[in-house]
Amino acid sequence: MTGSRRRRRALLATILGALLLVTAAVSGGGSARGKAPSGWKAAGTLRDGATYLMEVPARWNGTVLLFGHGMVTVEPGREPPNPAKDAPGWGDTRELLLDEGYALIGSSYVSPGWVVDSAVGDQIATLTAFEDLFGPARRTLAWGESLGGMITTKLAEEYGDRIDGSLSTCGTVAGGVARWNNQLDLSFALRTLLAPGSGIRLTGFRDPAQADASAAALGSATARAQRTPWGRARIALAAALAGVAGYNAPDQRQPGPGDWATTEANQYAIVSGTLIPSTTRWRRDAESHAGGSMSWNSGVDYSAMLARSPHREEARALYRSAGLSLAADLSALGHAPRLDADGSAVGFMARTSSYSGRLTKPQLDVHTVHDGLVPVQNERAYADSARASGSSSLLRQTYVRRAGHCAFTRDEALAAVHALDRRVATGHWGDTGARAMNAAAHERGAVARTAYVPSRPPPFPRPYDLERQGAGRPGGLAAPGSVRAGPRPAPPTVPADLRTRPYAGGAGAGD
């Protein structure tokens, strides 16, 4: 045993010896708990200022779950809290995982906003800190939600030697370049059709105030348009081009076949309430990381995009009803001045948050079918990338019939964790189809009906991956295939400030 190994074991023995605790009763969540032995909790700060959180039950089963949380959004005039999280907030998911003996760890991000450039390194540094304190895990599974699902997928492609499997839930797995191009297509269509000649800025925001002004102008134009049949038709066209779900929140009425009025009203709600702020305020934050605009629409054929859209019949029907010429508006989109990207910003977004589809360890993706913020078409984009790179056998994707972003229940989340853990343990995928996932959840005591369903998402409107598109070609950028993920970022050093304290843990897997 090396000297560093002996010192680490001695440190661990000292910590654990000092933290022997009395048992504590745990209840709730519909599962039998009783009294449970205590465990250990560690928190600290990484070199870049991000924090981490670790929880290890006394009866640790040898598997550690490395969790990546969603994006902390930047809002005008407010600094949102940005704590470390080691589990999602779906009911008592965290407590039940601890009950089963899983160790839970995760980092905060160094700041709110689009921090994919540093978050991957923070996650790896958190894993390193865990191993220094508790020793190597028998199995390490990375998982995350939303932006954390994107970060988890980047971990899967770049750090396959540090993890054994990955679980991306509601992740932006089409990648960063595709995501921001998709958002540009929405805002470009809204400006061209609803506010022609307005000069509303869509990219290259110099400061938050400029992004706020664009958000207000686009929001006002969209609100005025929603009051007229022609305006609603044009909003539907913009939504169709971007692939915006026509049912995207649990408080909405789910439209039936041909109920285009309800479909458009639901799209307007997510466009006005979330997507316009996303394509302006959130974009400005992302541009500040990338060093410029990472989006372009030069050379894009919007007529062809509409023909591929699952919402094309809605747009056509609402145009007919409003007495508008769809061909004329598509021509207006085709002739409107286009936007180019900054080559270095595209390169940044390609390196830090776009994908090749090349997996070396198994990954399971889970997505709600009716997601208005991160369309389910993201899953089709990543499946296509994995197929093109030859790693489809390592990828499984499964879906939940529910409206909303990351709208999972604790039992659906647990079923996904168990499915991945079983794949890593056995070396073979079990059945991850809807019927099997629902059955597995109920065999383990699900307290409510789970909603896994068969689904095949339509194509992503404008996909981009490192294998097939490279850095893209607009504005004289590199030819396809010439950009690859860069060298691994050097992870921050293990804890600058380690504080270890006891907690009342859940029952071990053997109870």
Side-chain angles (χ1 to χ4, degrees), residues 174-251:
V177 173
R179 185 222 193 275
W180 292 112
N181 275 342
N182 177 249
Q183 295 268 291
L184 175 60
D185 292 333
L186 174 67
S187 61
F188 178 80
L190 292 174
R191 184 184 71 174
T192 301
L193 300 175
L194 306 182
S198 63
I200 298 171
R201 178 168 286 276
L202 303 181
T203 64
F205 298 108
R206 65 174 180 266
D207 54 37
Q210 196 173 57
D212 290 346
S214 288
L218 279 176
S220 294
T222 306
R224 289 193 301 270
Q226 184 63 15
R227 296 193 286 268
T228 67
W230 63 262
R232 291 191 290 273
R234 286 168 170 158
I235 292 170
L237 173 56
L241 294 173
V244 178
Y247 172 53
N248 53 71
D251 60 348

Side-chain angles (χ1 to χ4, degrees), residues 64-341:
V64 60
L65 302 179
L66 173 63
F67 179 67
H69 65 76
M71 186 172 78
V72 179
T73 58
V74 178
E75 300 180 15
R78 189 174 75 87
E79 181 70 19
N82 182 31
K85 296 181 181 179
D86 61 6
W90 302 316
D92 55 351
T93 301
R94 168 186 161 275
E95 291 82 359
L96 289 176
L97 288 170
L98 289 169
D99 281 358
E100 294 181 5
Y102 290 99
L104 307 180
I105 66 174
S107 73
S108 72
Y109 306 140
V110 70
S111 68
W114 187 267
V115 290
V116 291
D117 48 325
S118 59
V120 171
D122 289 338
Q123 289 288 86
I124 288 296
T126 297
L127 179 58
T128 300
F130 174 83
E131 292 170 346
D132 278 3
L133 281 173
F134 298 99
R138 181 177 61 185
R139 287 195 288 274
T140 298
L141 307 180
W143 67 320
E145 59 175 335
S146 193
L147 183 76
M150 167 180 269
I151 291 163
T152 293
T153 304
K154 200 65 177 174
L155 282 169
E157 291 197 358
E158 296 289 322
Y159 287 91
D161 59 333
R162 296 295 303 273
I163 66 173
D164 299 296
S166 50
L167 168 60
S168 173
T169 63
C170 50
T172 312
V173 292
V177 173
R179 185 222 193 275
W180 292 112
N181 275 342
N182 177 249
Q183 295 268 291
L184 175 60
D185 292 333
L186 174 67
S187 61
F188 178 80
L190 292 174
R191 184 184 71 174
T192 301
L193 300 175
L194 306 182
S198 63
I200 298 171
R201 178 168 286 276
L202 303 181
T203 64
F205 298 108
R206 65 174 180 266
D207 54 37
Q210 196 173 57
D212 290 346
S214 288
L218 279 176
S220 294
T222 306
R224 289 193 301 270
Q226 184 63 15
R227 296 193 286 268
T228 67
W230 63 262
R232 291 191 290 273
R234 286 168 170 158
I235 292 170
L237 173 56
L241 294 173
V244 178
Y247 172 53
N248 53 71
D251 60 348
Q252 293 178 343
R253 182 161 69 97
Q254 184 170 8
D259 185 357
W260 307 129
T262 300
T263 300
E264 188 279 334
N266 292 344
Q267 290 168 329
Y268 168 74
I270 189 77
V271 166
S272 60
T274 301
L275 297 183
I276 287 177
S278 173
T279 195
T280 51
R281 297 183 181 120
W282 302 3
R283 174 184 290 280
R284 190 220 64 88
D285 176 73
E287 288 180 347
S288 73
H289 288 267
S293 174
M294 56 281 177
S295 301
W296 71 90
N297 67 349
S298 50
V300 173
D301 184 341
Y302 285 112
S303 295
M305 282 182 63
L306 178 64
R308 297 191 300 269
S309 172
H311 305 296
R312 58 188 177 274
E313 293 306 322
E314 172 204 356
R316 290 167 179 165
L318 290 179
Y319 265 78
R320 285 194 300 269
S321 177
L324 282 178
S325 168
L326 178 58
D329 275 358
L330 288 171
S331 178
L333 288 171
H335 287 90
R338 300 304 180 93
L339 293 93
D340 290 322

Side-chain angles (χ1 to χ4, degrees), residues 16-39:
L16 298 188
L19 295 176
L20 294 176
L21 304 169
V22 296
T23 60
V26 182
S27 62
S31 63
R33 314 281 179 85
K35 289 191 174 182
S38 46

Side-chain angles (χ1 to χ4, degrees), residues 168 170 173 364-371 374-384 387 395-402 407-408 412 416 432-435 437-438 450-458:
S168 173
C170 50
V173 292
L364 176 63
D365 289 357
V366 185
H367 217 114
T368 50
V369 173
H370 309 292
D371 188 334
V374 180
V376 70
Q377 293 95 309
N378 274 262
E379 301 299 339
R380 176 70 173 272
Y382 196 73
D384 290 345
R387 186 177 304 108
L395 178 67
R396 292 293 183 274
Q397 296 173 312
T398 190
Y399 302 93
V400 169
R401 180 182 290 155
R402 192 168 294 113
F408 304 110
E412 289 156 357
T432 57
R435 181 177 296 179
M437 294 292 286
N438 289 326
T450 53
Y452 281 101
V453 293
S455 183
R456 178 171 171 77

